[in-house]
Amino acid sequence: DAKTTQPPSMDCAEGRAANLPCNHSTISGNEYVYWYRQIHSQGPQYIIHGLKNNETNEMASLIITEDRKSSTLILPHATLRDTAVYYCIVRGRSGYSTLTFGKGTMLLVSP
Amino acid sequence: DTAVSQTPKYLVTQMGNDKSIKCEQNLGHDTMYWYKQDSKKFLKIMFSYNNKELIINETVPNRFSPKSPDKAHLNLHINSLELGDSAVYFCASSQGVATGELFFGEGSRLTVL
């Protein structure tokens, strides 16, 4: 599975949009981009995933560039409870594909 | 009603002991996993089971033995515990092997003294 690169940390003011970037320049055509987050002392939580089209759900939006080499997770109105480590993961569809978690981005939402 | 539940939540034990962590999911999923998160916060897959069959074993020492009595349960037994086994162990489940949408438990923090 392709590797991803994320900034180690980001800050965001409460109520503003949080835009978390991810670089996955070696992604192959059948690999999906997944985003998870881990709030302190909790298990990881699935947020969203996509292949090539932009995706939106009740938690976030995922914007994938046309060449699929990078993506951005958008939390439209960040709250204090969104403070967490956010992981961008690239995964194939094979049963032998796994979620390989990197270091992620520590997002700190401040009042 | 917790979707993926693990017991115990905390476990403190001495080196050399044997311990088990239990996991149950009530989501009707076919696939279950064990992940380990060490002190540096890296989260790594250990095992994956699909319909009670082992499909992924990521070079984990054979002191670790997973057991899946049925699709809803995946237990982790650890023999001869070592200091380096101290970590948070997360159980997870998914609808099948093709999806990367996993549901994680709250974790079991194991401390080996």
Side-chain angles (χ1 to χ4, degrees), chain B residues 9-29:
Chain B
K9 193 173 171 66
Y10 298 97
L11 190 52
V12 181
T13 188
Q14 300 286 333
M15 272 175 48
N17 284 350
D18 304 337
K19 290 294 177 187
S20 292
I21 307 172
K22 296 186 175 182
C23 179
E24 175 182 4
Q25 53 96 3
N26 63 5
L27 299 168
H29 288 167

Side-chain angles (χ1 to χ4, degrees), chain A residues 37-111:
Chain A
R37 73 180 182 184
Q38 187 173 23
I39 295 170
H40 182 61
S41 297
Q42 295 184 20
Q45 178 189 22
Y46 165 83
I47 300 173
I48 199 167
H49 75 280
L51 183 63
K52 52 177 103 173
N53 297 324
N54 297 339
E55 302 287 345
T56 295
N57 63 19
E58 64 279 1
M59 287 183 71
S61 294
L62 174 60
I63 309 297
I64 303 174
T65 58
E66 196 168 337
D67 63 8
R68 303 213 319 126
K69 293 184 176 181
S70 65
S71 61
T72 301
L73 179 76
I74 301 172
L75 308 178
H77 305 287
T79 70
L80 299 179
R81 288 176 296 178
D82 291 323
T83 292
V85 178
Y86 287 77
Y87 299 98
C88 169
I89 303 166
V90 171
R91 182 190 185 272
R93 281 185 59 85
S94 160
Y96 296 97
S97 294
T98 60
L99 287 178
T100 302
F101 289 80
K103 298 180 182 179
T105 296
M106 175 66 217
L107 175 68
L108 177 62
V109 181
S110 303

Side-chain angles (χ1 to χ4, degrees), chain A residues 32 34 36 38 40-47 49 87 91-103, chain B residues 9 33 35 37 41-43 45 48 55-56 58 90 96-107 109:
Chain A
Y32 287 75
Y34 283 83
Y36 276 76
Q38 187 173 23
H40 182 61
S41 297
Q42 295 184 20
Q45 178 189 22
Y46 165 83
I47 300 173
H49 75 280
Y87 299 98
R91 182 190 185 272
R93 281 185 59 85
S94 160
Y96 296 97
S97 294
T98 60
L99 287 178
T100 302
F101 289 80
K103 298 180 182 179
Chain B
K9 193 173 171 66
Y33 311 80
Y35 277 79
Q37 188 165 40
K41 303 296 184 184
F42 287 113
L43 197 61
I45 188 164
S48 171
I55 56 170
I56 292 174
E58 287 288 321
F90 288 99
V97 296
T99 179
E101 185 177 348
L102 273 58
F103 292 76
F104 283 81
E106 290 298 303
R109 180 176 293 276

Side-chain angles (χ1 to χ4, degrees), chain B residues 29-46:
Chain B
H29 288 167
D30 288 337
T31 311
M32 295 185 74
Y33 311 80
W34 277 109
Y35 277 79
K36 177 181 179 182
Q37 188 165 40
D38 60 24
S39 57
K40 294 182 179 177
K41 303 296 184 184
F42 287 113
L43 197 61
K44 293 183 180 178
I45 188 164
M46 300 173 69

